[in-house]
Amino acid sequence: MRTAEITRKTKETEITIKLNLDGGPVKIETGIGFFDHMLHAFATHGGFGLEVSAVGDLFVDCHHTIEDTGIVLGQAFLQALGDRSGIARFGSFYVPMDEALAFTAVDISGRPFVVFDAAFQQERVGDYDSCMTEEFVRAFAVNGGMTLHTRLMYGTNAHHCIEAIFKSIAHALRLAVQQNQDGSVLSTKGVL
């Protein structure tokens, strides 16, 4: 079973995530409506079972809750993938969302690196700060041991732009975590 369950508790947040790379229930509760919508889209488009319970210091702002959710989700991916043998490893995908177009390429290599290339014309979508998209992506990829490049090619509506990014990451990961036929490690080194 390619699953993980992780709880992380700090003075700022308490987050529990259950992840099944091969599907399952999706239940998201972070207290940030638009972020819930993005994580639900991420799970749906990635084909992942994902349950997220996050309680954070939203009286401060949304930063800690979103970033810490990225940390725990990355850790869950790392745990669910084990030694990363038997997966396709690479994935890339374009997603159009009305006037917006986003692209993501990912390598589940064990070498974390992030390139995030996006600017948003609106500072907020509901109670979600648009700039937190980059913080979430970085926290997720670094803690998941992934090289992840994502780029907003163009777009004007921040809701569409951010949703296109989340969906492109999900589809790229769906391809990267697909199991190969022989269970081998896709590396000339023999390990990742």
Side-chain angles (χ1 to χ4, degrees), residues 1-191:
M1 292 288 291
R2 303 190 310 159
T3 62
E5 181 174 350
I6 296 181
T7 297
R8 180 176 187 263
K9 184 174 183 177
T10 71
K11 292 180 180 179
E12 299 167 338
T13 62
E14 183 172 351
I15 297 166
T16 298
I17 291 182
K18 295 179 184 178
L19 173 68
N20 185 331
L21 296 177
D22 301 309
V26 176
K27 183 178 180 185
I28 314 293
E29 294 179 4
T30 69
I32 306 164
F34 182 72
F35 188 44
D36 288 359
H37 178 44
M38 292 302 94
L39 291 174
H40 198 277
F42 173 84
T44 300
H45 286 264
F48 308 128
L50 181 61
E51 297 180 48
V52 178
S53 172
V55 177
D57 55 0
L58 296 179
F59 62 90
V60 175
D61 67 8
C62 64
H63 188 115
H64 299 141
T65 301
I66 293 172
E67 183 178 32
D68 289 6
T69 299
I71 290 169
V72 179
L73 185 58
Q75 292 171 345
F77 265 82
L78 190 66
Q79 186 179 99
L81 287 166
D83 66 1
R84 295 178 294 278
S85 63
I87 61 169
R89 180 179 163 182
F90 297 96
S92 61
F93 212 85
Y94 282 94
V95 168
M97 182 81 184
D98 296 345
E99 86 296 346
L101 180 67
F103 171 77
T104 296
V106 65
D107 174 12
I108 303 176
S109 61
R111 293 186 312 276
F113 195 88
V114 176
V115 175
F116 184 92
D117 184 8
F120 307 109
Q121 294 188 22
Q122 295 84 40
E123 287 184 18
R124 298 173 66 77
V125 181
D127 292 330
Y128 177 96
D129 294 339
S130 299
C131 65
M132 288 309 302
T133 308
E134 182 173 3
E135 299 297 328
F136 171 81
V137 169
R138 182 176 293 108
F140 170 67
V142 168
N143 284 275
M146 304 172 194
T147 296
L148 192 151
H149 294 237
T150 192
R151 183 176 196 186
L152 176 64
M153 310 301 288
Y154 44 79
T156 55
N157 181 301
H159 183 134
H160 298 159
C161 295
I162 295 165
E163 189 163 348
I165 288 170
F166 269 83
K167 288 177 178 177
S168 70
I169 292 170
H171 279 278
L173 282 170
R174 179 180 51 80
L175 296 171
V177 303
Q178 282 183 347
Q179 294 176 298
N180 62 31
Q181 292 189 0
D182 61 5
S184 63
V185 175
L186 188 58
S187 171
T188 56
K189 298 179 189 75
V191 296

